[in-house]
Amino acid sequence: MRHDHLITSKQLSRADIETVLDRAAEIDADPAAVADRHANTLLGLLFFEPSTRTKMSFETAMKRLGGDVVDMGSIESSSVKKGETLADTVRVIEGYADALVLRHPREGAAKMASEYVDVPLLNAGDGAGHHPTQTLLDLYTIRENAGLDDLTIGIMGDLKYGRTVHSLAHALTNFDTRQHFVSPESLQLPREVVYDLHQVDESATIREHDSLEEILPSLDVLYVTRIQRERFPDEREYQKVAGEYQIDADTLEAASDDLTIMHPLPRVDEIAPAIDDTDYAAYFDQAHNGVPVRMALLDLFLSEGGETDE
Amino acid sequence: MSDDRDGDEHELRVSKIRNGTVIDHVRGGQALNVLAILGIDGSQGEEVSVGMNVPSDRLARKDIVKVEGRELSQDEVDVLSLIAPDATINIVRDYEVVEKHRVERPEIVEGVLSCPNTGCITTGDEPVSSRFEVLDDGVRCTYCGTIVREEIASLIDT
Ligand SMILES: [Zn+2]
C-alpha cells in the first residue's frame, strides 16, 4: 500500500483493501505480537465534533500497538474557539505527533488538512463526506462472516444522508458483489452516488427497492442503518416510515440461515434486541473490529513510507 | 477554421481594438460571465467592449467580448471553456489578429468557481482556494465531491 494519507475509501484499490484486512486479521489473531511495535509513537487526535466511539477506538488501537495519544481535547477549550483555521491547527499539532486522526464537521476537511502536513493523516469523518476507517471495518466484518466475493448484500435505511453507506457501496464495487439498496423513497441513494458507482464499475449490480421483502431471501448480508427522526417533518410520518424498515424475528423468517446482520451502531429500534443473541447478529463484532482494523491502518501508515514491510 | 464572415458586418457595432483579446462565438447571454471569469469588472480601467446576442451562423446568437490591452493566458482561456465551449480567442496586436485559438477544456479549474456546498471546507475561512475537476458534463469539487452540471457560471467567484 502506498498512500501518504487515508482520506477516502475511494482511494483504495482492491489490493490496498486486502492488505489492510489481511494485516487486521493477523493482528486480531495475535495481538501480543504487535504490542510493542510502535512504542514511543504518538498519535494526534483532532476531533472537531464529538465522536467518543471512534476516538476511543483509535486511542485503543494506538495504545495496543505500544504507542500513546495526544488529544486536542474538546473544541470549546481549544484555540479553534478563538478562530484558528484548520490549516493552522494541523500544522501545529503535526509537530507533536507522528500521525494525525481528524474528525471535522465540514466536507473535504481531511483532504484539505492533508495538504498542509507531512505526517500521515487519517480521516475519521468529514461532515457528510467520508469515513474510510468505518468502511474498512465494515469490509473486514463482511469478509469474516460472508466473504467479499460472490456476495449479495442488502443495505437498508437512510441511504440519502448515510455517508457510511456511500463509502461502503463504493468500496464494494472492488469486489464481485450484488448490492440491493432498500429505503423509503425520500431517503434513496443520492443520484450522484449512483452515478459514481456506475462510473467506477459499469457492470456494477445495483438495484434499488422500497421494501426488503422481495430480496431478503437472497441476501448474505443485511446492513441496517438508522433512519433519523430529524429527516421527517413530523413524528407521525417518521414512525410510519421508520416502522417499515425495522428488523425483528418475524421479518427474519424469510431470511437465509446464513444471513449476517450488520449495523454501524448506535441503533435505536431498527433491530429488535431479540436478534442480538442469534447467529444473524454481527453488529457488536463489527464494532469490536474497529480496533484491529485501525491497528492495521496505523501500523501500515506508521511503518516506513506507508508501506507494509511484510 | 473558416473566417468569421458572419461577424464582419455586425462586429462593426463593437469597435476594433488595437492590442488585446477578442473572445468571439461566446454563447448568447454569457458575455458578462466571461468577464466575471476573467475577473474583469472595469474597476482596473480596462477598455472593454461587449456585443450581446449578435446574429451568427455558427450559433444562433452569440456574444463578443473585446478587451483592450490584455492578452489572455492559456489558463484563462481554458477556464472559459466551461461556459463558452465554442469560443474562439483572437489575440490582437496593432489591429492584426496574430494568434487565434479555440478553447480547450482543462482537467482542473482552480480558484475560479466557488463550491455550492455550504458544508464544504473551501467555503469556510480556510486559506485554501477552490479546486474543481472538469468532468465530461460538469465540474466536481476536489474537496467535498459535489458535482455541478448546470449553471456553472453562477459559481463564478466574484
Ligand atoms: Zn466543495
Side-chain angles (χ1 to χ4, degrees):
Chain A
M1 199 170 71
R2 209 171 229 306
H3 296 286
D4 295 332
H5 309 283
L6 179 63
I7 307 301
T8 156
S9 54
K10 291 183 189 177
Q11 78 190 67
L12 302 175
S13 65
R14 179 179 174 131
D16 289 337
I17 292 169
E18 285 173 341
T19 301
V20 176
L21 303 192
D22 289 348
R23 187 77 185 115
E26 278 170 27
I27 290 173
D28 215 358
D30 186 10
V34 291
D36 296 314
R37 192 166 155 78
H38 292 281
N40 301 318
T41 299
L42 285 177
L43 180 64
L45 302 176
L46 295 95
F47 279 67
F48 288 80
E49 61 179 16
S51 175
T52 317
R53 295 271 182 82
T54 304
K55 189 157 131 178
M56 283 179 74
S57 174
F58 268 108
E59 187 166 351
T60 306
M62 190 70 254
K63 289 180 172 172
R64 291 217 182 279
L65 289 167
D68 208 340
V69 297
V70 281
D71 187 345
M72 178 184 86
S74 70
I75 333 160
E76 279 63 36
S77 60
S78 74
S79 35
V80 178
K81 197 92 205 275
K82 304 183 189 96
E84 186 175 61
T85 61
L86 174 62
D88 281 2
T89 306
V90 292
R91 279 179 286 186
V92 172
I93 310 293
E94 170 185 37
Y96 308 155
D98 302 293
L100 301 176
V101 174
L102 174 68
R103 170 96 161 203
H104 196 278
R106 280 184 175 267
E107 284 106 72
K111 162 90 181 141
M112 188 210 73
S114 72
E115 293 172 357
Y116 288 89
V117 298
D118 292 323
V119 301
L121 183 142
L122 280 69
N123 185 5
D126 55 343
H130 305 284
H131 193 5
T133 63
Q134 175 73 46
T135 304
L136 286 162
L137 76 86
D138 289 343
L139 293 172
Y140 184 76
T141 309
I142 294 170
R143 194 173 81 164
E144 297 280 289
N145 285 277
L148 280 164
D149 280 312
D150 194 19
L151 171 77
T152 302
I153 185 170
I155 303 182
M156 181 169 87
D158 180 351
L159 309 182
K160 184 173 185 181
Y161 300 96
R163 67 176 162 199
T164 310
V165 165
H166 306 162
S167 298
L168 178 61
H170 202 281
L172 285 171
T173 59
N174 286 294
F175 301 89
D176 173 23
T177 56
R178 288 165 296 279
Q179 303 193 51
H180 295 280
F181 296 95
V182 185
S183 70
E185 205 184 330
S186 61
L187 294 175
Q188 275 179 355
L189 278 184
R191 295 305 95 189
E192 292 180 4
V193 173
V194 176
Y195 171 88
D196 261 12
L197 294 175
H198 286 292
Q199 283 292 107
V200 289
D201 180 7
E202 276 176 34
S203 64
T205 316
I206 291 156
R207 301 263 183 284
E208 297 180 86
H209 313 263
D210 58 11
S211 148
L212 179 63
E213 214 179 332
E214 64 193 69
I215 52 150
L216 181 61
S218 70
L219 298 182
D220 301 311
V221 173
L222 175 60
Y223 194 105
V224 184
T225 65
R226 181 151 58 104
I227 293 179
Q228 296 189 45
R229 162 73 188 87
E230 56 267 33
R231 306 295 181 211
F232 293 86
D234 62 70
E235 184 69 27
R236 250 190 50 206
E237 183 67 15
Y238 162 69
Q239 290 297 349
K240 192 177 132 234
V241 172
E244 290 175 34
Y245 297 90
Q246 286 165 358
I247 303 293
D248 57 24
D250 285 348
T251 325
L252 293 178
E253 301 248 309
S256 141
D257 287 345
D258 297 328
L259 177 71
T260 297
I261 299 179
M262 295 171 61
H263 190 298
L265 302 182
R267 68 173 152 176
V268 181
D269 44 18
E270 305 83 62
I271 301 174
I275 309 294
D276 298 357
D277 295 326
T278 68
D279 289 339
Y280 298 122
Y283 29 92
F284 292 113
D285 286 340
Q286 183 185 355
H288 299 160
N289 288 339
V291 174
V293 168
R294 290 184 175 109
M295 286 171 80
L297 281 165
L298 289 171
D299 183 36
L300 292 165
F301 276 91
L302 288 164
S303 302
E304 212 168 347
E307 272 184 304
T308 166
D309 57 358
E310 297 298 306
Chain B
M1 188 89 10
S2 71
D3 58 1
D4 294 327
R5 261 162 311 177
D6 63 314
D8 284 355
E9 185 188 333
H10 302 288
E11 272 182 51
L12 293 177
R13 294 175 191 178
V14 183
S15 62
K16 281 207 173 261
I17 60 170
R18 178 170 184 169
N19 294 304
T21 307
V22 177
I23 305 157
D24 199 355
H25 299 108
V26 174
R27 283 184 186 170
Q30 292 293 329
L32 297 179
N33 289 324
V34 165
L35 290 171
I37 276 198
L38 300 176
I40 295 172
D41 61 3
S43 66
Q44 305 300 311
E46 308 95 332
E47 226 173 275
V48 178
S49 343
V50 174
M52 290 179 95
N53 295 315
V54 179
S56 156
D57 285 349
R58 257 167 54 194
L59 306 162
R61 293 275 167 177
K62 67 172 184 176
D63 288 3
I64 305 173
V65 177
K66 301 189 178 190
V67 187
E68 179 73 50
R70 176 153 163 198
E71 294 186 5
L72 293 191
S73 69
Q74 191 59 47
D75 281 357
E76 289 175 311
V77 170
D78 287 349
V79 171
L80 283 182
S81 70
L82 298 177
I83 59 158
D86 310 300
T88 45
I89 314 290
N90 301 301
I91 305 290
V92 177
R93 287 179 201 145
D94 219 9
Y95 299 109
E96 296 289 328
V97 174
V98 293
E99 276 174 45
K100 197 172 178 107
H101 30 113
R102 297 291 301 269
V103 297
E104 265 179 58
R105 285 171 86 74
E107 282 176 19
I108 298 280
V109 181
E110 220 168 330
V112 178
L113 307 173
S114 63
C115 186
N117 171 10
T118 53
C120 177
I121 192 73
T122 61
T123 63
D125 299 323
E126 299 297 330
V128 64
S129 55
S130 71
R131 197 190 304 149
F132 286 81
E133 182 191 334
V134 179
L135 312 173
D136 289 344
D137 58 346
V139 294
R140 158 180 242 153
C141 175
T142 307
Y143 292 92
C144 73
T146 298
I147 296 178
V148 183
R149 293 199 175 80
E150 272 137 48
E151 308 267 336
I152 291 172
S154 68
L155 303 181
I156 297 166
D157 212 349
T158 44

